[in-house]
Amino acid sequence: MTASLGEVAQSRSAPVGRSSAAPSCAVMYQVCAGTTEKATNGEGELVLNQFNPGLGGLVARFEPGENGTSEVRDGLRAWIRRLYPEATPLEFITSSDVNDMQAVSEGTLPRLVWPTDTPRADNGPCAVALADLHLRHDSKTDTVELLDAEERPVAPVYLGLVPAHLLGGASRILAVLGDPWVNRATWLIKDLGAGPGNPADTKRASHQPRVQRGRVVFKRESWTVPVDQVPVLEPQEPHEDYFRRLQRFRESWGLPREVFVRPHGPELGMGGTASKPAWVSFASPHAWAPVSDRLKKARSVTFQEALPTADQYWLTDEQGHHRAVEHISFLTWSSEATLSEEATP
């Protein structure tokens, strides 16, 4: 599930230039506590949902408040300064002039202005033109750095919402320079738990147990089933009869009442897998109906335990209703960090 400790140690010890960030990641997770008191006391399982790049593009889109301040962006600036202690970080977000999803992420750092950018009046006095920068190879550290006209190091920090690996050309080069690390924990990046091989070609059912170390759940329990084994509504079949068949299917496989569903098939794109899992409750015919439509182009489907369950949500609103919460923590791995076999899932 992870790289060996030797591989991790070798990667972590690789030289890093002043324009490149230290190894980092954003960890998205949920807490199964049930009450605020238990969550505050550190009780209940901590369920890992996903790893993402650690520069902060996930949260840069949260706009400042009415007075122009933002605790999120202030914290993000401090975090980025920590990742680039010897360089001036410059923000670049591609296609922000034509993509609102990218534009909302602007404004955290001074801008790196591209020659092709639409001229604008809000660049700010600290903006730096890409044409005024140059690359230099540091022979002592065997690293590449980006320097300004006065030979001071700067760091290109990509904060767009579109994932950096989808960039191309010069944008991709700068994104790699600013954050050259690859997270090898792929089971939390693109896999739902369908087991080895391509789930789109699955012809046999499989079961993957939950992976847990202490109170940390690294991978939810999941079941992958050929789609022809999933009950479908027959012509003229009463809905209540179909719903009973669906319950017998759930019970025969030992599926929880609440699950995440992700279909697999060559016609679904994204490598043969639907882009996002869908929550469904087997106790609700209305919740199952849209999922049933998604299975029409699938060859197989993965059911994954919905953890936390609704009764494990710890946050309540003003009316006392429980609300689902997902946390994001940004982590960095310093060169002084020690390796432990027990810390590796």
Side-chain angles (χ1 to χ4, degrees):
M1 291 175 60
T2 70
S4 68
L5 292 182
E7 291 175 315
V8 172
Q10 182 178 7
S11 299
R12 188 194 58 177
S13 62
V16 180
R18 293 176 294 178
S19 296
S20 301
S24 64
C25 70
V27 184
M28 305 174 70
Y29 59 95
Q30 292 175 273
V31 177
C32 306
T35 66
T36 302
E37 181 181 3
K38 290 183 178 180
T40 303
N41 293 335
E43 301 179 34
E45 288 94 352
L46 189 154
V47 186
L48 301 183
N49 285 339
Q50 194 178 53
F51 287 147
N52 278 276
L55 297 187
L58 280 174
V59 298
R61 66 185 185 275
F62 296 117
E63 299 182 8
E66 295 180 359
N67 59 356
T69 63
S70 171
E71 292 184 5
V72 172
R73 289 194 172 182
D74 289 344
L76 184 55
R77 293 185 189 99
W79 169 251
I80 292 173
R81 286 195 296 268
R82 179 179 176 182
L83 296 179
Y84 302 94
E86 299 182 74
T88 299
L90 299 176
E91 163 189 297
F92 79 96
I93 299 176
T94 59
S95 304
S96 61
D97 54 341
V98 294
N99 188 333
D100 290 341
M101 186 172 67
Q102 293 286 81
V104 295
S105 300
E106 292 185 322
T108 302
L109 301 171
R111 293 189 70 226
L112 178 58
V113 183
W114 291 70
T116 56
D117 282 351
T118 301
R120 50 195 297 178
D122 60 347
N123 280 335
C126 297
V128 177
L130 180 63
D132 294 334
L133 304 178
H134 62 278
L135 291 171
R136 184 188 69 182
H137 174 248
D138 188 333
S139 58
K140 293 182 179 180
T141 61
D142 196 24
T143 60
V144 175
E145 297 180 336
L146 192 62
L147 305 177
D148 64 15
E150 299 181 13
E151 299 298 314
R152 295 173 300 192
V154 300
V157 183
Y158 177 70
L159 293 180
L161 190 58
V162 174
H165 69 269
L166 297 179
L167 302 179
S171 299
R172 178 62 173 157
I173 294 174
L174 284 187
V176 171
L177 175 63
D179 185 19
W181 305 97
V182 175
N183 191 330
R184 297 185 181 181
T186 55
W187 83 99
L188 282 179
I189 296 177
K190 59 182 178 181
D191 182 57
L192 184 67
N198 186 352
D201 298 328
T202 297
K203 297 181 180 180
R204 294 184 301 173
S206 64
H207 170 245
Q208 300 294 320
R210 180 191 296 183
V211 178
Q212 184 168 349
R213 179 69 59 86
R215 63 184 289 252
V216 179
V217 177
F218 291 93
K219 200 170 187 179
R220 295 172 172 88
E221 185 176 12
S222 65
W223 301 257
T224 298
V225 182
V227 75
D228 58 9
Q229 297 187 27
V230 181
V232 296
L233 181 65
E234 300 293 344
Q236 308 303 320
E237 181 181 18
H239 283 78
E240 59 270 23
D241 292 347
Y242 170 63
F243 192 59
R244 293 189 186 97
R245 286 201 298 121
L246 193 62
Q247 297 308 309
R248 290 194 292 270
F249 165 79
R250 181 184 73 84
E251 293 169 359
S252 67
W253 284 92
L255 301 177
R257 179 169 296 182
E258 296 181 19
V259 294
F260 294 116
V261 179
R262 176 175 282 179
H264 311 284
E267 298 182 17
L268 295 174
M270 298 294 289
T273 297
S275 58
K276 293 184 179 179
W279 174 90
V280 65
S281 170
F282 280 101
S284 170
H286 302 290
W288 177 258
V291 174
S292 180
D293 291 337
R294 298 180 71 190
L295 300 183
K296 293 179 179 179
K297 295 182 179 181
R299 290 186 179 178
S300 65
V301 56
T302 294
F303 300 95
Q304 188 181 70
E305 61 174 329
L307 191 69
T309 58
D311 60 349
Q312 293 175 317
Y313 295 163
W314 61 268
L315 183 67
T316 56
D317 59 21
E318 295 178 352
Q319 287 75 39
H321 300 139
H322 286 268
R323 299 296 182 183
V325 178
E326 184 176 49
H327 306 270
I328 304 178
S329 292
F330 291 91
L331 308 176
T332 184
W333 196 348
S334 68
S335 59
E336 292 78 19
T338 59
L339 292 170
S340 170
E341 188 74 47
E342 295 181 355
T344 305

